[in-house]
mmCIF file of all heavy atoms in Angstrom:
data_model
loop_
_atom_site.group_PDB
_atom_site.id
_atom_site.type_symbol
_atom_site.label_atom_id
_atom_site.label_comp_id
_atom_site.label_asym_id
_atom_site.label_seq_id
_atom_site.Cartn_x
_atom_site.Cartn_y
_atom_site.Cartn_z
ATOM 1 N N LEU A 393 66.566 44.353 10.447
ATOM 2 C CA LEU A 393 67.062 45.663 10.632
ATOM 3 C C LEU A 393 65.908 46.786 10.703
ATOM 4 O O LEU A 393 65.903 47.617 11.607
ATOM 5 C CB LEU A 393 67.944 46.075 9.468
ATOM 6 C CG LEU A 393 68.984 47.195 9.629
ATOM 7 C CD1 LEU A 393 69.809 46.860 10.799
ATOM 8 C CD2 LEU A 393 69.946 47.143 8.315
ATOM 9 N N ALA A 394 64.938 46.478 9.938
ATOM 10 C CA ALA A 394 63.688 47.385 9.993
ATOM 11 C C ALA A 394 63.073 47.251 11.268
ATOM 12 O O ALA A 394 62.764 48.313 11.943
ATOM 13 C CB ALA A 394 62.691 47.002 8.873
ATOM 14 N N ALA A 395 62.909 46.056 11.803
ATOM 15 C CA ALA A 395 62.251 45.819 13.087
ATOM 16 C C ALA A 395 62.998 46.438 14.232
ATOM 17 O O ALA A 395 62.444 47.106 15.128
ATOM 18 C CB ALA A 395 61.986 44.270 13.311
ATOM 19 N N ALA A 396 64.400 46.200 14.191
ATOM 20 C CA ALA A 396 65.249 46.671 15.297
ATOM 21 C C ALA A 396 65.180 48.247 15.445
ATOM 22 O O ALA A 396 65.082 48.675 16.643
ATOM 23 C CB ALA A 396 66.652 46.247 15.131
ATOM 24 N N LYS A 397 65.123 48.834 14.262
ATOM 25 C CA LYS A 397 65.162 50.390 14.342
ATOM 26 C C LYS A 397 63.876 50.910 14.908
ATOM 27 O O LYS A 397 63.788 52.000 15.350
ATOM 28 C CB LYS A 397 65.368 50.920 12.921
ATOM 29 C CG LYS A 397 66.700 50.530 12.338
ATOM 30 C CD LYS A 397 67.705 51.752 12.742
ATOM 31 C CE LYS A 397 69.008 51.263 12.061
ATOM 32 N NZ LYS A 397 70.083 52.281 12.440
ATOM 33 N N LEU A 398 62.767 50.076 14.855
ATOM 34 C CA LEU A 398 61.489 50.461 15.408
ATOM 35 C C LEU A 398 61.152 49.861 16.750
ATOM 36 O O LEU A 398 60.029 49.913 17.242
ATOM 37 C CB LEU A 398 60.283 49.960 14.374
ATOM 38 C CG LEU A 398 60.288 50.785 12.969
ATOM 39 C CD1 LEU A 398 59.337 50.044 12.210
ATOM 40 C CD2 LEU A 398 60.125 52.246 13.207
ATOM 41 N N HIS A 399 62.287 49.281 17.269
ATOM 42 C CA HIS A 399 62.118 48.657 18.626
ATOM 43 C C HIS A 399 61.155 47.543 18.714
ATOM 44 O O HIS A 399 60.459 47.413 19.733
ATOM 45 C CB HIS A 399 61.943 49.715 19.757
ATOM 46 C CG HIS A 399 62.855 50.852 19.569
ATOM 47 N ND1 HIS A 399 62.551 52.139 19.923
ATOM 48 C CD2 HIS A 399 64.194 50.894 19.257
ATOM 49 C CE1 HIS A 399 63.446 52.879 19.698
ATOM 50 N NE2 HIS A 399 64.490 52.214 19.315
ATOM 51 N N ILE A 400 60.922 46.883 17.734
ATOM 52 C CA ILE A 400 60.017 45.648 17.640
ATOM 53 C C ILE A 400 60.857 44.417 17.861
ATOM 54 O O ILE A 400 61.801 44.158 17.233
ATOM 55 C CB ILE A 400 59.217 45.567 16.343
ATOM 56 C CG1 ILE A 400 58.498 46.915 16.002
ATOM 57 C CG2 ILE A 400 58.351 44.380 16.331
ATOM 58 C CD1 ILE A 400 57.926 46.933 14.521
ATOM 59 N N PRO A 401 60.450 43.500 18.822
ATOM 60 C CA PRO A 401 61.185 42.392 19.162
ATOM 61 C C PRO A 401 61.328 41.456 17.870
ATOM 62 O O PRO A 401 60.315 41.318 17.024
ATOM 63 C CB PRO A 401 60.427 41.671 20.210
ATOM 64 C CG PRO A 401 59.501 42.752 20.809
ATOM 65 C CD PRO A 401 59.279 43.766 19.832
ATOM 66 N N ILE A 402 62.395 40.769 17.719
ATOM 67 C CA ILE A 402 62.752 39.916 16.681
ATOM 68 C C ILE A 402 62.917 38.417 17.078
ATOM 69 O O ILE A 402 63.810 38.247 18.025
ATOM 70 C CB ILE A 402 64.029 40.483 15.927
ATOM 71 C CG1 ILE A 402 63.854 41.799 15.504
ATOM 72 C CG2 ILE A 402 64.446 39.645 14.710
ATOM 73 C CD1 ILE A 402 65.223 42.561 15.190
ATOM 74 N N ALA A 403 62.436 37.535 16.344
ATOM 75 C CA ALA A 403 62.657 36.170 16.468
ATOM 76 C C ALA A 403 63.385 35.659 15.237
ATOM 77 O O ALA A 403 62.934 35.864 14.125
ATOM 78 C CB ALA A 403 61.430 35.294 16.739
ATOM 79 N N HIS A 404 64.476 34.934 15.384
ATOM 80 C CA HIS A 404 65.289 34.457 14.273
ATOM 81 C C HIS A 404 65.280 32.898 14.249
ATOM 82 O O HIS A 404 65.769 32.223 15.228
ATOM 83 C CB HIS A 404 66.745 34.995 14.501
ATOM 84 C CG HIS A 404 67.707 34.628 13.266
ATOM 85 N ND1 HIS A 404 68.861 34.530 13.244
ATOM 86 C CD2 HIS A 404 67.197 34.254 11.988
ATOM 87 C CE1 HIS A 404 69.405 34.182 12.088
ATOM 88 N NE2 HIS A 404 68.449 34.053 11.253
ATOM 89 N N VAL A 405 64.605 32.394 13.076
ATOM 90 C CA VAL A 405 64.701 30.881 12.994
ATOM 91 C C VAL A 405 65.842 30.529 12.215
ATOM 92 O O VAL A 405 66.136 31.119 11.138
ATOM 93 C CB VAL A 405 63.358 30.345 12.240
ATOM 94 C CG1 VAL A 405 63.341 29.009 11.995
ATOM 95 C CG2 VAL A 405 62.144 30.853 13.100
ATOM 96 N N GLU A 406 66.641 29.657 12.680
ATOM 97 C CA GLU A 406 67.940 29.139 12.159
ATOM 98 C C GLU A 406 69.015 30.097 12.535
ATOM 99 O O GLU A 406 69.914 30.501 11.754
ATOM 100 C CB GLU A 406 67.964 28.982 10.598
ATOM 101 C CG GLU A 406 68.884 27.954 10.124
ATOM 102 C CD GLU A 406 68.883 27.698 8.673
ATOM 103 O OE1 GLU A 406 69.226 28.703 7.899
ATOM 104 O OE2 GLU A 406 68.490 26.714 8.187
ATOM 105 N N ALA A 407 69.055 30.464 13.820
ATOM 106 C CA ALA A 407 70.016 31.412 14.430
ATOM 107 C C ALA A 407 71.408 30.594 14.683
ATOM 108 O O ALA A 407 71.376 29.427 14.811
ATOM 109 C CB ALA A 407 69.641 31.959 15.737
ATOM 110 N N GLY A 408 72.526 31.313 14.812
ATOM 111 C CA GLY A 408 73.707 30.763 15.381
ATOM 112 C C GLY A 408 74.561 30.092 14.311
ATOM 113 O O GLY A 408 75.758 29.580 14.722
ATOM 114 N N LEU A 409 74.228 29.922 13.047
ATOM 115 C CA LEU A 409 74.991 29.256 12.012
ATOM 116 C C LEU A 409 76.138 30.178 11.648
ATOM 117 O O LEU A 409 75.992 31.436 11.467
ATOM 118 C CB LEU A 409 74.159 28.828 10.821
ATOM 119 C CG LEU A 409 73.098 27.840 10.988
ATOM 120 C CD1 LEU A 409 72.589 27.373 9.664
ATOM 121 C CD2 LEU A 409 73.727 26.605 11.769
ATOM 122 N N ARG A 410 77.366 29.567 11.539
ATOM 123 C CA ARG A 410 78.502 30.316 11.144
ATOM 124 C C ARG A 410 79.388 29.450 10.189
ATOM 125 O O ARG A 410 79.592 28.337 10.417
ATOM 126 C CB ARG A 410 79.345 30.706 12.409
ATOM 127 C CG ARG A 410 78.728 31.696 13.319
ATOM 128 C CD ARG A 410 78.574 33.023 12.713
ATOM 129 N NE ARG A 410 78.037 33.963 13.791
ATOM 130 C CZ ARG A 410 76.731 34.205 13.983
ATOM 131 N NH1 ARG A 410 75.823 33.534 13.175
ATOM 132 N NH2 ARG A 410 76.284 34.979 14.951
ATOM 133 N N SER A 411 79.909 30.197 9.015
ATOM 134 C CA SER A 411 80.930 29.539 8.238
ATOM 135 C C SER A 411 82.202 30.234 8.501
ATOM 136 O O SER A 411 83.213 29.614 8.109
ATOM 137 C CB SER A 411 80.613 29.821 6.782
ATOM 138 O OG SER A 411 80.554 31.276 6.467
ATOM 139 N N TYR A 412 82.356 31.241 9.230
ATOM 140 C CA TYR A 412 83.460 32.056 9.505
ATOM 141 C C TYR A 412 84.120 32.522 8.175
ATOM 142 O O TYR A 412 85.351 32.700 8.169
ATOM 143 C CB TYR A 412 84.401 31.316 10.483
ATOM 144 C CG TYR A 412 83.698 31.075 11.776
ATOM 145 C CD1 TYR A 412 83.179 29.780 12.110
ATOM 146 C CD2 TYR A 412 83.566 32.126 12.696
ATOM 147 C CE1 TYR A 412 82.446 29.683 13.377
ATOM 148 C CE2 TYR A 412 82.867 32.038 13.878
ATOM 149 C CZ TYR A 412 82.354 30.796 14.235
ATOM 150 O OH TYR A 412 81.661 30.614 15.436
ATOM 151 N N ASN A 413 83.325 32.708 7.268
ATOM 152 C CA ASN A 413 83.793 33.319 5.932
ATOM 153 C C ASN A 413 83.010 34.492 5.654
ATOM 154 O O ASN A 413 81.880 34.352 5.163
ATOM 155 C CB ASN A 413 83.671 32.154 4.873
ATOM 156 C CG ASN A 413 83.988 32.718 3.413
ATOM 157 O OD1 ASN A 413 84.395 33.879 3.324
ATOM 158 N ND2 ASN A 413 83.858 31.871 2.481
ATOM 159 N N ARG A 414 83.645 35.661 5.931
ATOM 160 C CA ARG A 414 82.832 36.892 5.699
ATOM 161 C C ARG A 414 82.668 37.332 4.245
ATOM 162 O O ARG A 414 82.070 38.373 3.909
ATOM 163 C CB ARG A 414 83.528 38.032 6.568
ATOM 164 C CG ARG A 414 83.388 37.874 8.040
ATOM 165 C CD ARG A 414 82.166 38.705 8.658
ATOM 166 N NE ARG A 414 82.098 38.353 10.033
ATOM 167 C CZ ARG A 414 82.027 39.123 10.929
ATOM 168 N NH1 ARG A 414 82.265 40.375 10.796
ATOM 169 N NH2 ARG A 414 81.821 38.718 12.231
ATOM 170 N N LYS A 415 83.290 36.443 3.402
ATOM 171 C CA LYS A 415 83.195 36.880 2.019
ATOM 172 C C LYS A 415 81.633 36.386 1.469
ATOM 173 O O LYS A 415 81.242 36.730 0.399
ATOM 174 C CB LYS A 415 84.224 36.065 1.135
ATOM 175 C CG LYS A 415 85.543 36.759 1.328
ATOM 176 C CD LYS A 415 86.258 36.913 0.074
ATOM 177 C CE LYS A 415 87.478 37.751 0.130
ATOM 178 N NZ LYS A 415 88.656 36.885 0.352
ATOM 179 N N MET A 416 81.222 35.457 2.296
ATOM 180 C CA MET A 416 79.754 34.999 1.922
ATOM 181 C C MET A 416 78.774 36.090 2.482
ATOM 182 O O MET A 416 78.731 36.450 3.644
ATOM 183 C CB MET A 416 79.469 33.740 2.738
ATOM 184 C CG MET A 416 80.019 32.513 2.290
ATOM 185 S SD MET A 416 79.396 31.173 3.521
ATOM 186 C CE MET A 416 77.700 30.942 3.109
ATOM 187 N N PRO A 417 77.845 36.619 1.474
ATOM 188 C CA PRO A 417 76.900 37.586 1.957
ATOM 189 C C PRO A 417 75.983 37.026 3.034
ATOM 190 O O PRO A 417 75.750 37.743 4.021
ATOM 191 C CB PRO A 417 76.102 37.816 0.749
ATOM 192 C CG PRO A 417 76.484 36.731 -0.206
ATOM 193 C CD PRO A 417 77.743 36.264 0.164
#
Side-chain angles (χ1 to χ4, degrees):
L393 208 46
K397 295 275 185 182
L398 295 171
H399 311 145
I400 301 167
I402 301 161
H404 184 203
V405 177
E406 206 178 69
L409 291 186
R410 295 291 182 268
S411 64
Y412 297 102
N413 172 2
R414 292 263 171 123
K415 290 222 169 98
M416 275 178 82

